mmCIF file of all heavy atoms in Angstrom:
data_model
loop_
_atom_site.group_PDB
_atom_site.id
_atom_site.type_symbol
_atom_site.label_atom_id
_atom_site.label_comp_id
_atom_site.label_asym_id
_atom_site.label_seq_id
_atom_site.Cartn_x
_atom_site.Cartn_y
_atom_site.Cartn_z
ATOM 1 N N CYS O 189 28.388 30.131 -148.306
ATOM 2 C CA CYS O 189 28.658 28.695 -148.111
ATOM 3 C C CYS O 189 27.786 27.762 -148.967
ATOM 4 O O CYS O 189 27.905 26.541 -148.843
ATOM 5 C CB CYS O 189 28.526 28.292 -146.630
ATOM 6 S SG CYS O 189 29.630 29.192 -145.540
ATOM 7 N N GLU O 190 26.929 28.296 -149.832
ATOM 8 C CA GLU O 190 26.093 27.422 -150.665
ATOM 9 C C GLU O 190 26.926 26.512 -151.560
ATOM 10 O O GLU O 190 26.572 25.351 -151.783
ATOM 11 C CB GLU O 190 25.132 28.262 -151.519
ATOM 12 C CG GLU O 190 24.009 28.903 -150.737
ATOM 13 C CD GLU O 190 23.080 29.703 -151.630
ATOM 14 O OE1 GLU O 190 23.333 29.755 -152.861
ATOM 15 O OE2 GLU O 190 22.114 30.278 -151.106
ATOM 16 N N ASN O 191 28.043 27.037 -152.067
ATOM 17 C CA ASN O 191 28.857 26.239 -152.991
ATOM 18 C C ASN O 191 29.709 25.176 -152.292
ATOM 19 O O ASN O 191 30.423 24.428 -152.958
ATOM 20 C CB ASN O 191 29.744 27.144 -153.842
ATOM 21 C CG ASN O 191 28.978 27.761 -154.997
ATOM 22 O OD1 ASN O 191 27.921 27.260 -155.379
ATOM 23 N ND2 ASN O 191 29.487 28.845 -155.551
ATOM 24 N N PHE O 192 29.597 25.080 -150.964
ATOM 25 C CA PHE O 192 30.194 23.935 -150.289
ATOM 26 C C PHE O 192 29.552 22.639 -150.782
ATOM 27 O O PHE O 192 30.119 21.553 -150.586
ATOM 28 C CB PHE O 192 30.006 24.050 -148.776
ATOM 29 C CG PHE O 192 30.981 24.993 -148.088
ATOM 30 C CD1 PHE O 192 30.872 25.243 -146.721
ATOM 31 C CD2 PHE O 192 31.999 25.619 -148.782
ATOM 32 C CE1 PHE O 192 31.751 26.084 -146.073
ATOM 33 C CE2 PHE O 192 32.883 26.477 -148.153
ATOM 34 C CZ PHE O 192 32.760 26.703 -146.788
ATOM 35 N N ALA O 193 28.389 22.756 -151.432
ATOM 36 C CA ALA O 193 27.736 21.578 -152.001
ATOM 37 C C ALA O 193 28.606 20.892 -153.053
ATOM 38 O O ALA O 193 28.387 19.713 -153.370
ATOM 39 C CB ALA O 193 26.394 21.974 -152.617
ATOM 40 N N LEU O 194 29.586 21.606 -153.588
ATOM 41 C CA LEU O 194 30.521 20.986 -154.533
ATOM 42 C C LEU O 194 31.242 19.787 -153.921
ATOM 43 O O LEU O 194 31.709 18.900 -154.635
ATOM 44 C CB LEU O 194 31.549 22.022 -154.993
ATOM 45 C CG LEU O 194 31.037 23.162 -155.878
ATOM 46 C CD1 LEU O 194 32.067 24.278 -155.969
ATOM 47 C CD2 LEU O 194 30.694 22.626 -157.264
ATOM 48 N N MET O 195 31.317 19.762 -152.591
ATOM 49 C CA MET O 195 32.015 18.668 -151.922
ATOM 50 C C MET O 195 31.379 17.317 -152.216
ATOM 51 O O MET O 195 32.073 16.294 -152.224
ATOM 52 C CB MET O 195 32.038 18.900 -150.411
ATOM 53 C CG MET O 195 32.874 20.097 -149.955
ATOM 54 S SD MET O 195 34.636 19.993 -150.350
ATOM 55 C CE MET O 195 35.085 18.448 -149.594
ATOM 56 N N ASP O 196 30.074 17.289 -152.452
ATOM 57 C CA ASP O 196 29.429 16.009 -152.759
ATOM 58 C C ASP O 196 30.084 15.351 -153.971
ATOM 59 O O ASP O 196 30.400 14.159 -153.949
ATOM 60 C CB ASP O 196 27.931 16.216 -153.024
ATOM 61 C CG ASP O 196 27.117 16.322 -151.750
ATOM 62 O OD1 ASP O 196 27.391 15.567 -150.802
ATOM 63 O OD2 ASP O 196 26.209 17.163 -151.698
ATOM 64 N N GLU O 197 30.313 16.135 -155.011
ATOM 65 C CA GLU O 197 30.942 15.593 -156.213
ATOM 66 C C GLU O 197 32.406 15.271 -155.970
ATOM 67 O O GLU O 197 32.904 14.210 -156.375
ATOM 68 C CB GLU O 197 30.829 16.605 -157.359
ATOM 69 C CG GLU O 197 31.512 16.183 -158.641
ATOM 70 C CD GLU O 197 31.471 17.254 -159.717
ATOM 71 O OE1 GLU O 197 30.701 18.230 -159.557
ATOM 72 O OE2 GLU O 197 32.229 17.124 -160.702
ATOM 73 N N TRP O 198 33.109 16.160 -155.285
ATOM 74 C CA TRP O 198 34.545 15.959 -155.074
ATOM 75 C C TRP O 198 34.816 14.732 -154.213
ATOM 76 O O TRP O 198 35.782 14.002 -154.456
ATOM 77 C CB TRP O 198 35.155 17.194 -154.418
ATOM 78 C CG TRP O 198 35.058 18.436 -155.254
ATOM 79 C CD1 TRP O 198 34.750 18.518 -156.590
ATOM 80 C CD2 TRP O 198 35.258 19.775 -154.818
ATOM 81 N NE1 TRP O 198 34.749 19.822 -157.011
ATOM 82 C CE2 TRP O 198 35.058 20.618 -155.944
ATOM 83 C CE3 TRP O 198 35.586 20.357 -153.593
ATOM 84 C CZ2 TRP O 198 35.183 22.008 -155.860
ATOM 85 C CZ3 TRP O 198 35.706 21.728 -153.512
ATOM 86 C CH2 TRP O 198 35.515 22.550 -154.633
ATOM 87 N N LEU O 199 33.974 14.502 -153.206
ATOM 88 C CA LEU O 199 34.176 13.345 -152.336
ATOM 89 C C LEU O 199 33.674 12.055 -152.966
ATOM 90 O O LEU O 199 34.130 10.968 -152.601
ATOM 91 C CB LEU O 199 33.497 13.569 -150.992
ATOM 92 C CG LEU O 199 34.131 14.652 -150.113
ATOM 93 C CD1 LEU O 199 33.277 14.917 -148.881
ATOM 94 C CD2 LEU O 199 35.548 14.278 -149.693
ATOM 95 N N ALA O 200 32.731 12.174 -153.903
ATOM 96 C CA ALA O 200 32.257 10.978 -154.608
ATOM 97 C C ALA O 200 33.382 10.379 -155.441
ATOM 98 O O ALA O 200 33.462 9.155 -155.612
ATOM 99 C CB ALA O 200 31.061 11.318 -155.492
ATOM 100 N N ASN O 201 34.254 11.227 -155.957
ATOM 101 C CA ASN O 201 35.424 10.743 -156.682
ATOM 102 C C ASN O 201 36.377 10.095 -155.679
ATOM 103 O O ASN O 201 36.925 10.753 -154.807
ATOM 104 C CB ASN O 201 36.131 11.901 -157.396
ATOM 105 C CG ASN O 201 35.263 12.509 -158.477
ATOM 106 O OD1 ASN O 201 34.436 11.828 -159.065
ATOM 107 N ND2 ASN O 201 35.435 13.801 -158.735
ATOM 108 N N GLY O 202 36.557 8.805 -155.790
ATOM 109 C CA GLY O 202 37.371 8.080 -154.835
ATOM 110 C C GLY O 202 36.573 7.508 -153.686
ATOM 111 O O GLY O 202 37.141 6.946 -152.754
ATOM 112 N N GLU O 203 35.256 7.660 -153.764
ATOM 113 C CA GLU O 203 34.351 7.083 -152.757
ATOM 114 C C GLU O 203 34.766 7.473 -151.344
ATOM 115 O O GLU O 203 34.857 6.649 -150.437
ATOM 116 C CB GLU O 203 34.295 5.556 -152.909
ATOM 117 C CG GLU O 203 33.758 5.113 -154.262
ATOM 118 C CD GLU O 203 33.676 3.609 -154.392
ATOM 119 O OE1 GLU O 203 34.259 2.905 -153.553
ATOM 120 O OE2 GLU O 203 33.012 3.144 -155.341
ATOM 121 N N ARG O 204 34.982 8.773 -151.152
ATOM 122 C CA ARG O 204 35.418 9.259 -149.844
ATOM 123 C C ARG O 204 34.255 9.750 -148.983
ATOM 124 O O ARG O 204 34.474 10.291 -147.907
ATOM 125 C CB ARG O 204 36.451 10.369 -150.030
ATOM 126 C CG ARG O 204 37.774 9.859 -150.593
ATOM 127 C CD ARG O 204 38.738 10.981 -150.860
ATOM 128 N NE ARG O 204 38.312 11.796 -151.992
ATOM 129 C CZ ARG O 204 38.963 12.877 -152.417
ATOM 130 N NH1 ARG O 204 40.064 13.280 -151.777
ATOM 131 N NH2 ARG O 204 38.533 13.560 -153.458
ATOM 132 N N GLN O 205 33.043 9.548 -149.439
ATOM 133 C CA GLN O 205 31.857 9.915 -148.676
ATOM 134 C C GLN O 205 30.850 8.774 -148.737
ATOM 135 O O GLN O 205 30.563 8.255 -149.815
ATOM 136 C CB GLN O 205 31.229 11.196 -149.253
ATOM 137 C CG GLN O 205 29.926 11.613 -148.601
ATOM 138 C CD GLN O 205 29.451 12.967 -149.095
ATOM 139 O OE1 GLN O 205 29.830 13.996 -148.574
ATOM 140 N NE2 GLN O 205 28.614 12.972 -150.129
ATOM 141 N N ARG O 206 30.325 8.382 -147.578
ATOM 142 C CA ARG O 206 29.296 7.345 -147.519
ATOM 143 C C ARG O 206 27.966 8.000 -147.195
ATOM 144 O O ARG O 206 27.870 8.830 -146.282
ATOM 145 C CB ARG O 206 29.648 6.298 -146.467
ATOM 146 C CG ARG O 206 30.937 5.549 -146.761
ATOM 147 C CD ARG O 206 31.124 4.369 -145.829
ATOM 148 N NE ARG O 206 30.068 3.364 -146.016
ATOM 149 C CZ ARG O 206 30.086 2.164 -145.435
ATOM 150 N NH1 ARG O 206 31.076 1.833 -144.620
ATOM 151 N NH2 ARG O 206 29.107 1.303 -145.653
ATOM 152 N N CYS O 207 26.945 7.625 -147.948
ATOM 153 C CA CYS O 207 25.616 8.197 -147.761
ATOM 154 C C CYS O 207 24.622 7.098 -147.399
ATOM 155 O O CYS O 207 24.749 5.955 -147.848
ATOM 156 C CB CYS O 207 25.138 8.899 -149.033
ATOM 157 S SG CYS O 207 26.178 10.282 -149.539
ATOM 158 N N GLY O 208 23.665 7.445 -146.585
ATOM 159 C CA GLY O 208 22.645 6.478 -146.202
ATOM 160 C C GLY O 208 21.560 7.151 -145.390
ATOM 161 O O GLY O 208 21.604 8.350 -145.123
ATOM 162 N N ARG O 209 20.591 6.366 -144.986
ATOM 163 C CA ARG O 209 19.472 6.861 -144.208
ATOM 164 C C ARG O 209 19.763 6.690 -142.726
ATOM 165 O O ARG O 209 20.177 5.638 -142.273
ATOM 166 C CB ARG O 209 18.204 6.079 -144.586
ATOM 167 C CG ARG O 209 16.932 6.572 -143.956
ATOM 168 C CD ARG O 209 16.460 7.883 -144.503
ATOM 169 N NE ARG O 209 16.267 7.875 -145.942
ATOM 170 C CZ ARG O 209 15.891 8.950 -146.638
ATOM 171 N NH1 ARG O 209 15.675 10.079 -146.013
ATOM 172 N NH2 ARG O 209 15.742 8.869 -147.938
ATOM 173 N N VAL O 210 19.563 7.762 -141.971
ATOM 174 C CA VAL O 210 19.615 7.709 -140.509
ATOM 175 C C VAL O 210 18.340 8.349 -139.999
ATOM 176 O O VAL O 210 18.070 9.522 -140.300
ATOM 177 C CB VAL O 210 20.853 8.422 -139.933
ATOM 178 C CG1 VAL O 210 20.754 8.528 -138.399
ATOM 179 C CG2 VAL O 210 22.133 7.679 -140.319
ATOM 180 N N GLY O 211 17.563 7.564 -139.255
ATOM 181 C CA GLY O 211 16.230 8.045 -138.915
ATOM 182 C C GLY O 211 15.452 8.216 -140.208
ATOM 183 O O GLY O 211 15.402 7.311 -141.043
ATOM 184 N N HIS O 212 14.883 9.406 -140.381
ATOM 185 C CA HIS O 212 14.151 9.702 -141.614
ATOM 186 C C HIS O 212 14.953 10.595 -142.554
ATOM 187 O O HIS O 212 14.424 11.029 -143.583
ATOM 188 C CB HIS O 212 12.818 10.372 -141.273
ATOM 189 C CG HIS O 212 11.864 9.472 -140.551
ATOM 190 N ND1 HIS O 212 11.083 8.539 -141.206
ATOM 191 C CD2 HIS O 212 11.568 9.355 -139.236
ATOM 192 C CE1 HIS O 212 10.332 7.891 -140.318
ATOM 193 N NE2 HIS O 212 10.607 8.356 -139.119
ATOM 194 N N GLY O 213 16.191 10.891 -142.197
ATOM 195 C CA GLY O 213 16.968 11.839 -142.976
ATOM 196 C C GLY O 213 18.129 11.221 -143.719
ATOM 197 O O GLY O 213 18.575 10.109 -143.427
ATOM 198 N N MET O 214 18.655 11.977 -144.682
ATOM 199 C CA MET O 214 19.848 11.570 -145.413
ATOM 200 C C MET O 214 21.073 11.910 -144.577
ATOM 201 O O MET O 214 21.170 12.989 -143.996
ATOM 202 C CB MET O 214 19.921 12.291 -146.764
ATOM 203 C CG MET O 214 21.204 12.061 -147.539
ATOM 204 S SD MET O 214 21.497 10.308 -147.924
ATOM 205 C CE MET O 214 20.172 10.027 -149.103
ATOM 206 N N ALA O 215 22.011 10.987 -144.525
ATOM 207 C CA ALA O 215 23.247 11.186 -143.771
ATOM 208 C C ALA O 215 24.444 11.056 -144.702
ATOM 209 O O ALA O 215 24.441 10.255 -145.632
ATOM 210 C CB ALA O 215 23.350 10.173 -142.636
ATOM 211 N N ARG O 216 25.464 11.856 -144.420
ATOM 212 C CA ARG O 216 26.738 11.786 -145.126
ATOM 213 C C ARG O 216 27.837 11.602 -144.082
ATOM 214 O O ARG O 216 27.893 12.348 -143.108
ATOM 215 C CB ARG O 216 27.006 13.079 -145.906
ATOM 216 C CG ARG O 216 26.010 13.420 -146.999
ATOM 217 C CD ARG O 216 26.281 14.851 -147.461
ATOM 218 N NE ARG O 216 25.547 15.239 -148.647
ATOM 219 C CZ ARG O 216 24.317 15.734 -148.656
ATOM 220 N NH1 ARG O 216 23.662 15.875 -147.492
ATOM 221 N NH2 ARG O 216 23.735 16.099 -149.772
ATOM 222 N N LEU O 217 28.717 10.640 -144.313
ATOM 223 C CA LEU O 217 29.827 10.381 -143.398
ATOM 224 C C LEU O 217 31.125 10.412 -144.178
ATOM 225 O O LEU O 217 31.232 9.821 -145.257
ATOM 226 C CB LEU O 217 29.668 9.014 -142.724
ATOM 227 C CG LEU O 217 30.776 8.624 -141.738
ATOM 228 C CD1 LEU O 217 30.696 9.460 -140.465
ATOM 229 C CD2 LEU O 217 30.697 7.131 -141.405
ATOM 230 N N MET O 218 32.142 11.082 -143.603
ATOM 231 C CA MET O 218 33.422 11.224 -144.297
ATOM 232 C C MET O 218 34.532 11.445 -143.278
ATOM 233 O O MET O 218 34.262 11.830 -142.134
ATOM 234 C CB MET O 218 33.365 12.400 -145.274
ATOM 235 C CG MET O 218 33.185 13.741 -144.585
ATOM 236 S SD MET O 218 32.025 14.879 -145.396
ATOM 237 C CE MET O 218 30.448 14.160 -144.932
ATOM 238 N N ARG O 219 35.763 11.207 -143.673
ATOM 239 C CA ARG O 219 36.908 11.568 -142.842
ATOM 240 C C ARG O 219 37.137 13.069 -142.951
ATOM 241 O O ARG O 219 37.079 13.646 -144.045
ATOM 242 C CB ARG O 219 38.178 10.846 -143.285
ATOM 243 C CG ARG O 219 38.211 9.362 -143.015
ATOM 244 C CD ARG O 219 39.475 8.749 -143.600
ATOM 245 N NE ARG O 219 40.685 9.228 -142.946
ATOM 246 C CZ ARG O 219 41.813 9.559 -143.585
ATOM 247 N NH1 ARG O 219 41.858 9.486 -144.917
ATOM 248 N NH2 ARG O 219 42.872 9.960 -142.918
ATOM 249 N N SER O 220 37.432 13.685 -141.823
ATOM 250 C CA SER O 220 37.757 15.104 -141.832
ATOM 251 C C SER O 220 38.920 15.391 -142.776
ATOM 252 O O SER O 220 38.913 16.375 -143.520
ATOM 253 C CB SER O 220 38.091 15.566 -140.403
ATOM 254 O OG SER O 220 38.478 16.911 -140.388
ATOM 255 N N ARG O 221 39.912 14.518 -142.777
ATOM 256 C CA ARG O 221 41.092 14.749 -143.615
ATOM 257 C C ARG O 221 40.757 14.651 -145.096
ATOM 258 O O ARG O 221 41.375 15.334 -145.933
ATOM 259 C CB ARG O 221 42.207 13.782 -143.231
ATOM 260 C CG ARG O 221 42.781 14.096 -141.858
ATOM 261 C CD ARG O 221 43.951 13.220 -141.486
ATOM 262 N NE ARG O 221 44.427 13.547 -140.143
ATOM 263 C CZ ARG O 221 45.438 12.941 -139.526
ATOM 264 N NH1 ARG O 221 46.072 11.937 -140.140
ATOM 265 N NH2 ARG O 221 45.803 13.313 -138.318
ATOM 266 N N ASP O 222 39.797 13.816 -145.462
ATOM 267 C CA ASP O 222 39.374 13.754 -146.865
ATOM 268 C C ASP O 222 38.685 15.051 -147.287
ATOM 269 O O ASP O 222 38.864 15.526 -148.418
ATOM 270 C CB ASP O 222 38.446 12.560 -147.085
ATOM 271 C CG ASP O 222 39.190 11.229 -147.121
ATOM 272 O OD1 ASP O 222 40.420 11.236 -147.337
ATOM 273 O OD2 ASP O 222 38.539 10.186 -146.939
ATOM 274 N N VAL O 223 37.878 15.608 -146.393
ATOM 275 C CA VAL O 223 37.234 16.886 -146.677
ATOM 276 C C VAL O 223 38.287 17.958 -146.922
ATOM 277 O O VAL O 223 38.249 18.698 -147.915
ATOM 278 C CB VAL O 223 36.313 17.311 -145.508
ATOM 279 C CG1 VAL O 223 35.773 18.721 -145.724
ATOM 280 C CG2 VAL O 223 35.170 16.328 -145.340
ATOM 281 N N VAL O 224 39.241 18.046 -146.003
ATOM 282 C CA VAL O 224 40.268 19.082 -146.108
ATOM 283 C C VAL O 224 41.139 18.872 -147.336
ATOM 284 O O VAL O 224 41.444 19.824 -148.068
ATOM 285 C CB VAL O 224 41.118 19.115 -144.822
ATOM 286 C CG1 VAL O 224 42.342 20.013 -144.995
ATOM 287 C CG2 VAL O 224 40.264 19.601 -143.645
ATOM 288 N N ASP O 225 41.523 17.639 -147.608
ATOM 289 C CA ASP O 225 42.366 17.378 -148.775
ATOM 290 C C ASP O 225 41.657 17.764 -150.070
ATOM 291 O O ASP O 225 42.254 18.402 -150.953
ATOM 292 C CB ASP O 225 42.753 15.896 -148.830
ATOM 293 C CG ASP O 225 43.770 15.515 -147.761
ATOM 294 O OD1 ASP O 225 44.316 16.418 -147.100
ATOM 295 O OD2 ASP O 225 44.006 14.298 -147.585
ATOM 296 N N ALA O 226 40.384 17.368 -150.201
ATOM 297 C CA ALA O 226 39.641 17.674 -151.429
ATOM 298 C C ALA O 226 39.435 19.171 -151.594
ATOM 299 O O ALA O 226 39.572 19.707 -152.707
ATOM 300 C CB ALA O 226 38.290 16.947 -151.410
ATOM 301 N N ALA O 227 39.116 19.857 -150.508
ATOM 302 C CA ALA O 227 38.841 21.293 -150.594
ATOM 303 C C ALA O 227 40.114 22.096 -150.824
ATOM 304 O O ALA O 227 40.127 23.014 -151.657
ATOM 305 C CB ALA O 227 38.131 21.766 -149.330
ATOM 306 N N THR O 228 41.190 21.767 -150.102
ATOM 307 C CA THR O 228 42.408 22.561 -150.261
ATOM 308 C C THR O 228 42.989 22.410 -151.663
ATOM 309 O O THR O 228 43.529 23.377 -152.218
ATOM 310 C CB THR O 228 43.473 22.176 -149.215
ATOM 311 O OG1 THR O 228 43.706 20.763 -149.260
ATOM 312 C CG2 THR O 228 43.037 22.579 -147.819
ATOM 313 N N ALA O 229 42.861 21.241 -152.265
ATOM 314 C CA ALA O 229 43.372 21.059 -153.630
ATOM 315 C C ALA O 229 42.683 22.017 -154.594
ATOM 316 O O ALA O 229 43.333 22.633 -155.449
ATOM 317 C CB ALA O 229 43.171 19.614 -154.071
ATOM 318 N N ARG O 230 41.360 22.149 -154.465
ATOM 319 C CA ARG O 230 40.619 23.064 -155.351
ATOM 320 C C ARG O 230 40.905 24.515 -155.015
ATOM 321 O O ARG O 230 41.017 25.364 -155.909
ATOM 322 C CB ARG O 230 39.119 22.798 -155.253
ATOM 323 C CG ARG O 230 38.597 21.742 -156.207
ATOM 324 C CD ARG O 230 38.987 20.359 -155.809
ATOM 325 N NE ARG O 230 38.430 19.325 -156.678
ATOM 326 C CZ ARG O 230 38.520 18.034 -156.423
ATOM 327 N NH1 ARG O 230 39.132 17.617 -155.310
ATOM 328 N NH2 ARG O 230 38.008 17.141 -157.254
ATOM 329 N N LEU O 231 41.011 24.835 -153.734
ATOM 330 C CA LEU O 231 41.241 26.222 -153.327
ATOM 331 C C LEU O 231 42.616 26.710 -153.756
ATOM 332 O O LEU O 231 42.791 27.885 -154.090
ATOM 333 C CB LEU O 231 41.094 26.352 -151.811
ATOM 334 C CG LEU O 231 39.661 26.288 -151.289
ATOM 335 C CD1 LEU O 231 39.655 26.000 -149.795
ATOM 336 C CD2 LEU O 231 38.914 27.581 -151.581
#
Side-chain angles (χ1 to χ4, degrees):
C189 301
E190 288 181 359
N191 280 340
F192 281 177
L194 291 166
M195 293 298 304
D196 279 320
E197 177 184 347
W198 297 346
L199 291 173
N201 295 331
E203 298 181 347
R204 291 176 290 178
Q205 176 173 273
R206 298 190 64 172
C207 298
R209 186 71 56 182
V210 171
H212 293 279
M214 173 60 69
R216 298 169 171 86
L217 180 71
M218 65 222 76
R219 290 176 66 222
S220 177
R221 291 184 182 179
D222 284 341
V223 173
V224 170
D225 288 350
T228 54
R230 272 73 177 188
L231 286 163

